Amino acid sequence: KMKLGLVCLVVVATLCPHQVSPAITINDSTVQKLCLYGSGLQQKLPAALKKCPNAMKVAKLWPKGKCPPFKAFLKYLNKQVSAASCLPKALGWMDANGNILEEMVMADVAGLNPEMTSALSADKINICINNKMKQYIKKLNRCRKRYKTAQKNALINRMKGILASQCLINAMATSCEGFIKGIVQYLIDMFSNGGP
């Protein structure tokens, strides 16, 4: 049964267009279905994506201008937070304050490959947020005469809320793609060496 499933995966992979090897591509919908099969997200994610059609759109964290006025900057970020948090909130992965609910994430991804589950851990998401925040902290520090400490902290908190959503979505997409590439490469190698 397992061998038949793996052979079917190779057939699906060869018929569809997400490059998993130089000769094989799979479309996003097929990758998503393969990654989510058997998990709590199998039904939940497609429904959430319908509610949040722009979920994969990357938000810009810095509006036009070197050091924009605080109120305009905050208004801009609030709009970005609303759009960026749509998918995690629709999945029940984020509370109203923008905090990631790791226990809800882990419950939904429990049926996924362990590599994918570990990519969605709070520690890895926080590392992603902190790495991406470095450039914005530098920019905000250059504007220290323009923003008071409390204002700077408010901007940082909004930016981190946006990045939390982006890092969560990116981690899921990247780990899913890596998982599928690994399976397909394993199958290619196996059949190249004379089959199972």
Side-chain angles (χ1 to χ4, degrees):
K1 193 173 182 181
M2 178 68 168
K3 285 181 185 175
L4 178 61
L6 294 175
V7 171
C8 289
L9 175 61
V10 171
V11 171
V12 167
T14 58
L15 296 176
C16 304
H18 223 289
Q19 190 161 358
V20 293
S21 80
I24 298 175
T25 55
I26 303 175
N27 68 25
D28 289 338
S29 175
T30 303
V31 168
Q32 181 188 57
K33 288 175 186 172
L34 291 170
C35 286
L36 302 179
Y37 184 77
S39 75
L41 289 172
Q42 187 174 355
Q43 310 266 317
K44 202 172 176 182
L45 184 62
L49 286 169
K50 284 182 182 174
K51 288 182 186 176
C52 307
N54 296 322
M56 302 309 279
K57 188 177 177 184
V58 176
K60 283 181 61 182
L61 297 186
W62 201 272
K64 291 182 181 177
K66 189 174 179 179
C67 297
F70 173 72
K71 286 184 180 180
F73 198 166
L74 191 63
K75 184 178 180 181
Y76 173 84
L77 288 176
N78 284 337
K79 189 175 179 181
Q80 299 294 330
V81 166
S82 177
S85 63
C86 180
L87 185 62
K89 284 182 179 177
L91 290 168
W93 290 4
M94 185 177 276
D95 66 18
N97 297 321
N99 299 309
I100 293 175
L101 305 171
E102 186 176 12
E103 60 282 349
M104 297 300 291
V105 174
M106 291 302 139
D108 281 343
V109 300
L112 298 175
N113 177 282
E115 289 175 22
M116 290 180 64
T117 305
S118 75
L120 298 171
S121 72
D123 289 341
K124 292 210 175 152
I125 300 302
N126 285 327
I127 289 168
C128 172
I129 293 166
N130 292 332
N131 286 338
K132 290 180 181 282
M133 273 304 296
K134 288 176 186 175
Q135 66 178 310
Y136 299 109
I137 297 289
K138 284 180 186 176
K139 282 184 169 187
L140 286 169
N141 286 338
R142 286 188 218 123
C143 299
R144 65 181 161 265
K145 291 181 181 176
R146 179 108 193 201
Y147 308 127
K148 296 176 184 171
T149 302
Q151 292 175 326
K152 179 181 165 185
N153 290 338
L155 295 172
I156 288 170
N157 286 337
R158 296 302 190 291
M159 289 178 177
K160 283 185 174 181
I162 295 165
L163 290 174
S165 297
Q166 288 180 353
C167 287
L168 197 58
I169 291 167
N170 289 343
M172 194 164 100
T174 302
S175 61
C176 175
E177 185 177 329
F179 171 63
I180 297 301
K181 281 183 179 180
I183 288 174
V184 172
Q185 189 58 54
Y186 169 78
L187 293 170
I188 290 169
D189 292 346
M190 185 174 69
F191 288 112
S192 295
N193 294 324

